[in-house]
Structures are given as structure tokens and as C-alpha cells.
């Protein structure tokens, strides 16, 4: 790989999973327009995230990366964003309080639109059409027209990302995220469940702790960390033309930043060492992630670390394992050992979703809550055995009361899946299952010792 990197240098490398845009002139017009738009995030914010992730790499903090599998143009609303944020904040409070370490919060939000597919086409009966690749590319309806990649969608994705970020900034800095409101985040539905009651008990303890602090004379009113939170954004950097159009030179440091999100990651299907996605992300200064599936070798992981983080900056690289509950412990251990031996300061995060997708008898794609917990348990055991820090989790969830994953507090069954199955792509945890998972994860990490 040539050393010289530019925002365009990826174009000389093979790029997997790119849409087959029918009209490249129209695509170029839209990309030019995107490149003229203001940055969605600022380089300084990405640097702050990288520094927070540096603490995770050193075992002093925990990463919670969570949000939609695929954001939707159709289900875009303030309520939807608020509810997703609420679950992330609730999970973070549970993890922080139970584990006693800061939780770095990163949403799969404000840009998580593009989807890699295992097959380029989808066949129903005798009809074969291009696959749905996320709302940034085409529409999921099974008609030839709907599936044509439409570059105008790139602009719509940019605009929806901007509005989502605007609301996220308002919610996280404008009072909604105030720690005094931890109990207000609990909706009626959560109070009625065992996990909901556990959450209420925890929020009561936090309220007492805050009252104690102010009774001792601590100025809690003016201490901003109690009233505001940092929630960063991230998505899979899949459509490289779009990412390139939002890549800007930071005048302060002279480095290039992909200003479409604070953190970008490379998916399981696009992580070829000599491919365009790795070429693109190696040159931007944002913190970056890479999925690590069951087929990866220790040599591959070390080479990836060398390529993505030659200066060995803690927090620059997050490795997100996704192997499946039954493979993780044995599959991960040699990788942990190799990266440790090579002296690379990575964040290890566990994606317990993508290796545990199954098809229910009614044809719905689903995931079982106990498999999700099981993969995290195996992840924690592997770290314990290798003396490394199980740095975080990467999950797909929504604040809505969907029925897409089975099990959890409400013990959802395969029969419940038809009830509220709303995802545009993979099955997500609902709000209750998210909080439930946070309690289970906190217990697993606490026992990590
Ligand atoms: C995803 O995170 O939605 C995804 C497609 O994951 P992976 O690349 O690990 O399959
Ligand atoms: Co997914």
C-alpha cells in the first residue's frame, strides 16, 4: 500500500459493497453538493472522543456504542431520537453506577444508513431485484423502481444526520440528560417489570447520593458533568464517495477528518487489508473501528493494527469482535494475545448481535437475548484469561417497544415477533431489553475482577 494518502486515494483500490449507481453524472453532482455542506461534527470533538477511548484502551473506562442497525428515512422523528437516547443514557447510568468507571457513549446514530449485504440481489419467487442497501441508497419496497440506487438519497441522509445531531446536542446539553432526571427517564412500562424496578431502585440511590453531595456542600448545581453528557456519533463508513465528500482538512492540526461522524467503523464485509475501505479510513484522524469476525487470524489483526494505528495512539483503534456466542471465547483469545504481544493499545468491544442472528420458524430474522448475553460472557471470560480489559459493547437497539429479539425481561417468544417488528434491517433490542442487558453486563464485568 502506497504511503501517500489523500481523501481520494481509496479510489485506486477495490471497493466492496458499493451501489451500482445508474447515472454517475447525477452522482457526481450530488457528491459535489455534499462536499459543499458544513461539517456535521468538528475535529476537536473527534479528538475528545479519541482521548476518552484512550482511557478505555487503558482499562479505565467502558465504551457503550449503541443504536439502530439502519436508520430510516420513514421513521425519522424527534420522539424516536429522544427514546433511543433515553435508553442509551439509562444503560450508561446502570453501567457507570454498577461498575464505577466512566462510560463513553457513542450512538449508531446521525448517519448509520448504509447497509452491506451478503448478496447483491434478492429473489422472491421468479423476480430478482438489487438488494436493499439502506435508505441512503435505495428503498426496501420490492419493486424494480424502488431498488434503483438514487444519489439524491445521499443528500437526504446528510440532512437527516444534521437534524438528528442538532436534536442530540440539544438533548444532551439542554437538560434532558441531567442526572437529576434519571428517574424521570423511566417510563411507566419499565416500572412494572423486574428490570424496571431494579432501575428505579438504582435511580433512587443516585438521587440520594446527589442529595448527600449537596448536603456536604458540593456545588452540584454548577457542576456541569452532572447536568450534561457527551454522546458521540458513529456509523459504518460504507459508501466511500459520501465519506470522501465530508472529509475536511482541520486547520488546527493540518490533519484530515471525516466530518460525517465522530467515529467511523469498517464492517465485516469490507475489511480487506488491500481494499478501499481500509485505505480510506487509515488516513483520517478520527477514532476508527473495525469488525472482527470468527474467520480472522492473529496475523491479520496485528497487520490491521499496524496499518490503522502505526503511531500506536490509545483510542485511535477499536476492534469490535462479532463471532457468535459459541465461538467467541476460543476465537478471541489468540487475537487478544497477539495484539497484546505486539504492544498495540486497542479498545476491545463486543458486538454480540451480528454473530447470533437466526431465522425464526415464521421466517423472521431474530436474536435471542440469552445468546447476546452469552457472547458478552464469553468475551469477558476471554479477556480475563488473557489479562486484557473487556472494553465495551456495541449493540443494536431502539427506544421503541419493538418485538424483534426474543427473550429478555418480557420473555418475548417467536410468536411475539410479528407483533411489532419494525426494523429496516437487523433485529434490535427494545428499550427494556437494553436496560436489562446493561444490568447483566455490569454484573459480568464486576465479576471480571
Ligand atoms: C452492522 O453493524 O450493522 C453490520 C452489518 O455488522 P457486520 O459488518 O459486523 O456484519
Ligand atoms: Co446490523
Amino acid at each position: 500500500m502506497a504511503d501517500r494518502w489523500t481523501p481520494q486515494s481509496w479510489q485506486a483500490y477495490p471497493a466492496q459493497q458499493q451501489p451500482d449507481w445508474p447515472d454517475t453524472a447525477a452522482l457526481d453532482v450530488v457528491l459535489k453538493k455534499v462536499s459543499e455542506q458544513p461539517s456535521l461534527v468538528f475535529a476537536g470533538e473527534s479528538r475528545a472522543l479519541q482521548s476518552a477511548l484512550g482511557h478505555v484502551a487503558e482499562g479505565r473506562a467502558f465504551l457503550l456504542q449503541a443504536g439502530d442497525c439502519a436508520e430510516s428515512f420513514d421513521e425519522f422523528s424527534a420522539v424516536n431520537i429522544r427514546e433511543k437516547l433515553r435508553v442509551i443514557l439509562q444503560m450508561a447510568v446502570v453501567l457507570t453506577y454498577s461498575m464505577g468507571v466512566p462510560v463513553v457513549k457513542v450512538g449508531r446514530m446521525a448517519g448509520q444508513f448504509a447497509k452491506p449485504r451478503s448478496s447483491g440481489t434478492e429473489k422472491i419467487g421468479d423476480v430478482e431485484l438489487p438488494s436493499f442497501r439502506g435508505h441512503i441508497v435505495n428503498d426496501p419496497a420490492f419493486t424494480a423502481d424502488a431498488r434503483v440506487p438514487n444519489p439524491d438519497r445521499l443528500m437526504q441522509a446528510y440532512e437527516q444526520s444534521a437534524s438528528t445531531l442538532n436534536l442530540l446536542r440539544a438533548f444532551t446539553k439542554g437538560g434532558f440528560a441531567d442526572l437529576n432526571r434519571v428517574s424521570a427517564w423511566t417510563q411507566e412500562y419499565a416500572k412494572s417489570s423486574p428490570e424496571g424496578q431494579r432501575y428505579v431502585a438504582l435511580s433512587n440511590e443516585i438521587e440520594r447520593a446527589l442529595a448527600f453531595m449537596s448536603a456536604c456542600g458540593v456545588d452540584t448545581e454548577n457542576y456541569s458533568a452532572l447536568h450534561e453528557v457527551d454522546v458521540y456519533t458513529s456509523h459504518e463508513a460504507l459508501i466511500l464517495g459520501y465519506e470522501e465528500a465530508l472529509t475536511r482538512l482541520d486547520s488546527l492540526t493540518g490533519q484530515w477528518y471525516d466530518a460525517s461522524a465522530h467515529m467511523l467503523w469498517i464492517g465485516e464485509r469490507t475489511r480487506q487489508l488491500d481494499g478501499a475501505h481500509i485505505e480510506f479510513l487509515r488516513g483520517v484522524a478520527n477514532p476508527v473501528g473495525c469488525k472482527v469476525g470468527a474467520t480472522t487470524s492473529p496475523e491479520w489483526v496485528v497487520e490491521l493494527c499496524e496499518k490503522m494505528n502505526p503511531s500506536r495512539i490509545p483510542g485511535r483503534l477499536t476492534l469490535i469482535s462479532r463471532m457468535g456466542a459459541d465461538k467467541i471465547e476460543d476465537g478471541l483469545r489468540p487475537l487478544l494475545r497477539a495484539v497484546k504481544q505486539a504492544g498495540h493499545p486497542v479498545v476491545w468491544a463486543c458486538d454480540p448481535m451480528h454473530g447470533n442472528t437466526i431465522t425464526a420458524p415464521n421466517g423472521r430474522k431474530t436474536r435471542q437475548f440469552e445468546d447476546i448475553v452469552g457472547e458478552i460472557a464469553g468475551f469477558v471470560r476471554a479477556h480475563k484469561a488473557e489479562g486484557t480489559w473487556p472494553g465495551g459493547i456495541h449493540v443494536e437497539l431502539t427506544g421503541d417497544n419493538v418485538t424483534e429479539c426474543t427473550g429478555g425481561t418480557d420473555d418475548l417468544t417467536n410468536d411475539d415477533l410479528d407483533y411489532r417488528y419494525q426494523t429496516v434491517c437487523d433485529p434490535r433490542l427494545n428499550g427494556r431489553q437494553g436496560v436489562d442487558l446493561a444490568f447483566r453486563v455490569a454484573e459480568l464485568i464486576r465479576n471480571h475482577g
Side-chain angles (χ1 to χ4, degrees):
M1 190 175 291
D3 269 332
R4 211 183 109 64
W5 182 94
T6 68
Q8 298 81 33
S9 58
W10 64 270
Q11 294 179 10
Y13 295 76
Q16 305 295 317
Q17 299 281 344
Q18 300 307 287
D20 209 353
W21 304 103
D23 180 348
T24 50
L27 172 67
D28 289 345
V29 170
V30 176
L31 287 177
K32 179 158 185 302
K33 206 163 134 200
V34 173
S35 73
E36 290 160 0
Q37 303 306 306
S39 294
L40 287 169
V41 303
F42 304 103
E45 297 172 329
S46 292
R47 278 194 288 279
L49 172 59
Q50 181 156 292
S51 144
L53 289 171
H55 295 157
V56 180
E58 288 155 8
R60 295 191 283 129
F62 192 77
L63 167 65
L64 171 63
Q65 192 169 12
D68 266 313
C69 178
E71 284 172 288
S72 162
F73 284 179
D74 304 330
E75 275 171 29
F76 172 50
S77 73
V79 171
N80 185 306
I81 296 164
R82 187 195 64 209
E83 290 304 286
K84 213 171 302 163
L85 175 66
R86 179 181 58 76
V87 179
I88 293 173
L89 295 178
Q90 283 185 301
M91 290 177 73
V93 159
V94 169
L95 291 165
T96 311
Y97 195 79
S98 313
M99 287 164 41
V101 293
V103 172
V104 181
K105 296 164 275 293
V106 181
R108 284 177 62 117
M109 285 173 95
Q112 174 49 31
F113 293 106
K115 296 316 298 174
R117 304 317 302 248
S118 36
S119 166
T121 59
E122 182 183 351
K123 202 167 176 188
I124 300 183
D126 290 336
V127 186
E128 192 168 2
L129 294 174
S131 292
F132 170 58
R133 290 185 178 274
H135 280 163
I136 192 170
V137 175
N138 56 6
D139 186 274
F142 195 72
T143 67
D145 270 359
R147 294 294 173 92
V148 177
N150 176 357
D152 290 340
R153 289 175 169 270
L154 297 167
M155 197 60 211
Q156 196 176 339
Y158 168 85
E159 280 162 2
Q160 185 166 318
S161 300
S163 313
T164 303
L165 254 163
N166 184 45
L167 208 53
L168 273 181
R169 292 183 195 281
F171 281 139
T172 52
K173 306 292 173 191
F176 179 75
D178 196 311
L179 252 197
N180 286 303
R181 286 178 44 95
V182 274
S183 51
W185 296 337
T186 317
Q187 306 279 313
E188 282 310 310
Y189 75 80
K191 288 184 189 153
S192 62
S193 70
E195 292 313 315
Q197 282 162 11
R198 239 175 131 180
Y199 181 81
V200 170
L202 185 141
S203 57
N204 288 342
E205 280 183 46
I206 292 173
E207 272 169 20
R208 272 203 303 278
L210 288 172
F212 172 75
M213 279 160 70
S214 63
C216 290
V218 178
D219 184 6
T220 54
E221 280 295 302
N222 292 312
Y223 191 62
S224 68
L226 297 174
H227 309 294
E228 298 178 355
V229 293
D230 291 321
V231 174
Y232 297 98
T233 62
S234 70
H235 61 258
E236 177 173 350
L238 189 71
I239 311 291
L240 292 174
Y242 177 81
E243 301 301 334
E244 178 194 320
L246 283 163
T247 296
R248 311 288 158 83
L249 195 61
D250 173 38
S251 53
L252 206 64
T253 60
Q255 289 183 302
W256 290 95
Y257 279 84
D258 183 346
S260 72
H262 299 110
M263 176 183 182
L264 288 311
W265 79 84
I266 303 170
E268 177 67 4
R269 293 164 194 78
T270 50
R271 56 177 174 78
Q272 300 76 25
L273 286 171
D274 51 2
H277 291 81
I278 285 189
E279 170 60 17
F280 177 71
L281 280 193
R282 83 177 171 96
V284 296
N286 308 57
V288 293
C290 187
K291 294 291 191 84
V292 174
T295 58
T296 39
S297 68
E299 297 72 33
W300 180 89
V301 179
V302 172
E303 206 176 320
L304 177 81
C305 293
E306 294 288 341
K307 218 157 237 181
M308 301 307 286
N309 192 15
S311 311
R312 300 179 182 223
I313 302 164
R316 153 75 176 162
L317 180 61
T318 298
L319 297 176
I320 309 159
S321 62
R322 37 85 85 215
M323 301 190 178
D326 52 341
K327 299 204 185 73
I328 184 73
E329 190 173 356
D330 294 343
L332 188 60
R333 286 190 57 179
L335 310 185
L336 298 180
R337 217 173 302 148
V339 171
K340 189 177 169 183
Q341 260 168 22
H344 271 285
V346 304
V347 170
W348 282 105
C350 174
D351 166 358
M353 314 297 290
H354 291 89
N356 295 309
T357 314
I358 54 173
T359 305
N362 60 4
R364 295 279 194 200
K365 263 207 289 182
T366 188
R367 290 156 174 165
Q368 295 176 298
F369 187 80
E370 288 309 320
D371 287 344
I372 292 169
V373 175
E375 178 148 359
I376 300 172
F379 172 82
V380 173
R381 280 196 303 275
H383 281 279
K384 187 165 191 167
E386 299 300 332
T388 44
W389 171 238
I393 57 169
H394 179 122
V395 291
E396 291 181 342
L397 55 73
T398 171
D400 300 334
N401 196 14
V402 298
T403 57
E404 298 170 7
C405 293
T406 58
T409 310
D410 293 330
D411 206 10
L412 296 180
T413 64
N414 283 336
D415 291 338
D416 294 320
L417 294 178
D418 282 332
Y419 185 49
R420 260 194 242 109
Y421 195 96
Q422 292 166 357
T423 183
V424 282
C425 196
D426 289 340
R428 303 160 297 176
L429 297 168
N430 63 29
R432 288 197 203 200
Q433 290 169 325
V435 175
D436 195 354
L437 185 68
F439 279 111
R440 300 285 292 273
V441 170
E443 272 161 23
L444 288 168
I445 308 270
R446 263 208 318 264
N447 296 337
H448 172 67

